[in-house]
Amino acid sequence: MNDTAEHYPGETLGLPETGRGALARWRARVAALILDWAASMALAVILFGTAVLHEPGWRSWMTLAVFFVQSSVLTGLAGGSFGQIIAKIGVVRLTGEPIGLLRAVARQAMICLVLPTIVIGAERRALNDLALGTVVVNRR
């Protein structure tokens, strides 16, 4: 066997190279995050008024709060946030099982803290995914 053989992201996790169940590409992940934030901002404006966009105080946190609730609930119940569903990617446990609501809440809390999300380890997995045994994969 050749030790210099090329490997693909997700191979060591037992994921396919392409297609359904393969590691989600960065483009889809960033697009999903932008869609999630835009939808959360729109919903926060509808629920709490335009003050969420420019006033200090508790209203300034409402976009983040809506983002947290939306993405936690949808990830726990549907396997992906609003943006992830649109981008045709999702979050699963390494065992292939659904992530579940408790892991989804913990994962989204870490994402809201930002730092665990920007520290990327092997196989395109951030600290939050490494800690929770999850991975972001293609749904198609």
Side-chain angles (χ1 to χ4, degrees):
M1 184 164 221
N2 187 356
D3 288 334
T4 61
E6 289 190 33
H7 299 285
Y8 62 88
E11 181 178 25
T12 60
L13 300 174
L15 301 175
E17 185 172 3
T18 59
R20 185 176 182 88
L23 275 181
R25 299 207 182 273
W26 287 113
R27 176 183 277 166
R29 295 177 74 158
V30 170
L33 182 60
I34 291 169
L35 285 168
D36 280 332
W37 194 256
S40 297
M41 187 177 291
L43 188 54
V45 167
I46 290 168
L47 294 173
F48 304 103
T50 58
V52 300
L53 301 175
H54 55 79
E55 287 186 17
W58 68 271
R59 282 189 175 95
S60 64
W61 292 96
M62 289 304 99
T63 300
L64 182 63
V66 169
F67 171 81
F68 172 75
V69 171
Q70 170 273 126
S71 54
S72 294
V73 170
L74 283 176
T75 300
L77 298 177
S81 65
F82 172 77
Q84 289 174 331
I85 292 168
I86 299 294
K88 295 183 174 52
I89 61 176
V91 183
V92 295
R93 295 171 64 182
L94 286 175
T95 59
E97 300 169 24
I99 184 172
L101 197 54
L102 290 177
R103 268 192 180 80
V105 168
R107 184 177 189 278
Q108 293 313 123
M110 287 188 259
I111 287 172
C112 288
L113 292 175
V114 179
L115 186 61
T117 306
I118 61 172
V119 177
I120 306 297
E123 307 290 355
R124 297 183 197 151
R125 294 174 67 212
L127 285 179
N128 52 317
D129 286 322
L130 291 169
L132 296 169
T134 58
V135 64
V136 181
V137 297
N138 292 326
R139 291 178 178 249
R140 54 182 158 98

